[in-house]
Amino acid sequence: MAKSSVLSGIQPTADSFHIGNYFGALRQWVQMQDTHECFYTVVDLHAITAEFDPKVLKKRTLSSFAQLLAVGIDTKKSTVFVQSQVPQHPQLAWVLSCFTGFGEAGRMTQFKDKTQKGGQERSSVGLFTYPILQAADILLYQAQSVPVGEDQRQHLELTRDLAVRFNNQFGQTFVVPEAFIVKESAKILDLQDPTAKMSKSSPQGCVFIMDEPDAVMKKFKTAMTDSGKEIKYDPANKPGVSNLLNIIKAITNEEMSAIEAQFANKGYGDLKTFTGELVVEKIVKPFREKTLALLGDEKELNSLMSEGAQKAEKVASATLKSVYEKVGF
Ligand code: TYM
C-alpha cells in the first residue's frame, strides 16, 4: 500500500530555529520520515509577508535548509525544498483565494495578532492571504497529515474547509488533511514569560538551536520561575516550572511523576541548570555543529535544494493541472 503523505513548512525568518519549533514540529517531521511520504518546505514566500531584507532572507533560507538536515531530515527519505522554487504554490493559492471569504480570512487570529502589533496600514495584503498560501502548500501534495504546533491549528481548519468546499463543487480533488499536534510539546513557552509561547520576537526567552552553549545556559539560569518552592507539574499555577519539566520530558521521554521525583529535595536553581544542560547536550550542541558543517559546503546544499524542488514540482504540478482543468482554464 502507498504510504500516506505528510507536508509541513517552516519560515526562514530568523537566523536560527528555536526549541519550540523543534519540539512542536521538527521532531515529529523527523520521526514521520520512516512511515510516511514526507514533503518539508522552507516557506520563503511566507517570509516576505512582513518586513525583510533580501540578502538576509537568502542567507536564512540557506541556513534553514541546513538546519532541517542537521536535525535529522534526510533528503533520501523526504522531499525537502524551498517554497519559492516550486511555482505551483502561488498558482494554487490564487485559485484558493477565490474560494475564500473575505470575512473568513479576516477571522484568522494570527493575522489579527500581527496587525494589532504592526497596525492595519502597515500590514500587507500578503499577510492577510498568508493562510491561503499555507493551504495551497498542503493541498498540492495531497497531505493527510500536517505535523505542527498548536498555533497552526486554525490555519489547518481553514485548509480543511477549503479542501471540502472545492471537492463539493468540483468533485474529489484534494485529500482533506488533519493537523498532527503532539499535545505535550505543542506549545513550548517563553522562558522569561511562561504565559506566552516561545517565539523569536522575544529573544531572551527563546532558546535558539544555533545559540552558543553558554548563552543557552544563561537563558535557562535566568528563566522565570514561580512562587513557592516545590517542583511540581502544574501548568495553571506553576507555568514556569511546568514549562521546564515539559522540556525535560520532551527530551527524556520519562513519565512526569518520575521527573518530579528526581527533583523531590531540590530547588528551582537545580531544575534550571539541569534543563539547560540537557538542552545543550542533546539539542543545541549536536544541531549547531552539524548545521555549521553543512553550511561549509554551499554548493552541495544548493544542489540538494534543486533536487528537492524538482521532486516537489512533479507532485505539485499534477495537482495543479487537475485544479486548472476543473475550474475551466
Ligand atoms: P513557523 O515558522 O512559525 O513555525 C514552524 C513550526 O514550529 C511550531 N512552533 C511551535 N511549537 C511549539 N511551541 C512553540 N513555542 C512554537 N513556535 C512555533 C509551529 O506551530 C510550526 O509548526 N505558518 C507556518 C508555516 C507554514 C506551514 C505551511 C506549516 C507555511 N506553510 C504548511 C504547515 C503546513 C508558520 O509560520 O510556522
Side-chain angles (χ1 to χ4, degrees):
M1 212 177 77
K3 287 180 186 169
S4 73
S5 296
V6 161
L7 176 128
S8 200
I10 188 159
Q11 296 202 65
T13 42
D15 292 333
S16 170
F17 299 153
H18 55 72
I19 62 170
N21 299 135
Y22 181 69
F23 293 123
L26 302 180
R27 201 167 48 141
Q28 285 66 258
W29 296 18
V30 174
Q31 285 164 355
M32 291 172 110
Q33 294 185 107
D34 292 318
T35 44
H36 295 73
E37 178 75 35
C38 298
F39 296 87
Y40 297 129
T41 178
V42 176
V43 294
D44 55 346
L45 295 172
H46 280 107
I48 66 165
T49 55
E51 245 174 78
F52 70 101
D53 172 323
K55 280 206 192 86
V56 176
L57 175 62
K58 203 171 184 82
K59 194 166 152 257
R60 287 175 169 174
T61 301
L62 188 76
S63 165
S64 298
F65 192 86
Q67 287 173 65
L68 288 184
L69 306 192
V71 304
I73 305 296
D74 180 346
T75 54
K76 290 196 191 72
K77 295 183 187 164
S78 303
T79 302
V80 195
F81 63 100
V82 174
Q83 186 191 33
S84 65
Q85 296 180 2
V86 183
Q88 287 77 11
H89 290 244
Q91 288 177 304
L92 180 61
W94 174 257
V95 176
L96 293 177
S97 73
C98 298
F99 290 85
T100 311
F102 200 81
E104 191 176 28
R107 281 193 291 278
M108 295 292 116
T109 51
Q110 276 210 340
F111 171 73
K112 288 199 277 192
D113 289 350
K114 286 189 184 167
T115 39
Q116 235 167 27
K117 281 182 202 144
Q120 267 224 356
E121 279 310 313
R122 294 190 55 205
S123 301
S124 68
V125 173
L127 184 65
F128 185 65
T129 57
Y130 175 117
I132 305 171
L133 178 59
Q134 179 165 353
D137 297 341
I138 299 166
L139 299 180
L140 276 174
Y141 300 91
Q142 307 290 359
Q144 265 110 336
S145 187
V146 184
V148 284
E150 183 59 43
D151 59 349
Q152 298 300 314
R153 192 184 285 281
Q154 199 190 22
H155 292 166
L156 259 296
E157 280 307 313
L158 175 73
T159 306
R160 289 168 58 81
D161 289 347
L162 290 173
V164 169
R165 192 171 304 158
F166 196 94
N167 288 347
N168 284 343
Q169 193 165 340
F170 298 100
Q172 181 57 39
T173 309
F174 297 122
V175 167
V176 182
E178 283 191 42
F180 178 71
I181 299 176
V182 175
K183 199 165 166 277
E184 293 95 345
S185 53
K187 194 171 174 188
I188 300 296
L189 304 173
D190 187 307
L191 296 186
Q192 290 301 323
D193 172 13
T195 60
K197 76 166 180 184
M198 182 175 283
S199 141
K200 59 177 182 294
S201 56
S202 155
Q204 282 320 308
C206 183
V207 177
F208 295 98
I209 66 174
M210 297 302 286
D211 272 341
E212 298 273 358
D214 287 351
V216 174
M217 285 312 296
K218 196 163 165 220
K219 286 180 187 178
F220 275 101
K221 284 188 176 157
T222 56
M224 170 107 109
T225 34
D226 315 289
S227 54
K229 284 190 178 147
E230 203 190 354
I231 296 177
K232 198 171 102 202
Y233 185 71
D234 178 359
N237 301 307
K238 289 178 172 266
V241 166
S242 302
N243 190 36
L244 297 178
L245 291 170
N246 239 340
I247 293 172
I248 297 175
K249 184 168 190 295
I251 298 177
T252 64
N253 238 334
E254 290 167 291
E255 291 293 327
M256 194 53 91
S257 54
I259 302 171
E260 285 172 342
Q262 222 176 296
F263 289 99
N265 296 311
K266 302 210 166 119
Y268 287 167
D270 301 310
L271 174 67
K272 294 188 211 179
T273 305
F274 182 88
T275 318
E277 285 172 353
L278 197 61
V279 168
V280 166
E281 282 313 310
K282 302 285 183 197
I283 311 283
V284 173
K285 263 197 192 160
F287 295 165
R288 184 185 142 80
E289 278 165 23
K290 189 87 201 283
T291 303
L292 292 174
L294 288 162
L295 284 170
D297 191 349
E298 264 187 45
K299 211 168 139 224
E300 170 69 5
L301 285 175
N302 283 316
S303 135
L304 290 172
M305 254 184 214
S306 320
E307 267 172 45
Q310 275 173 27
K311 267 166 73 187
E313 189 162 357
K314 274 205 186 110
V315 180
S317 62
T319 305
L320 188 73
K321 183 166 181 278
S322 113
V323 170
Y324 269 23
E325 277 166 9
K326 286 181 173 154
V327 300
F329 289 166

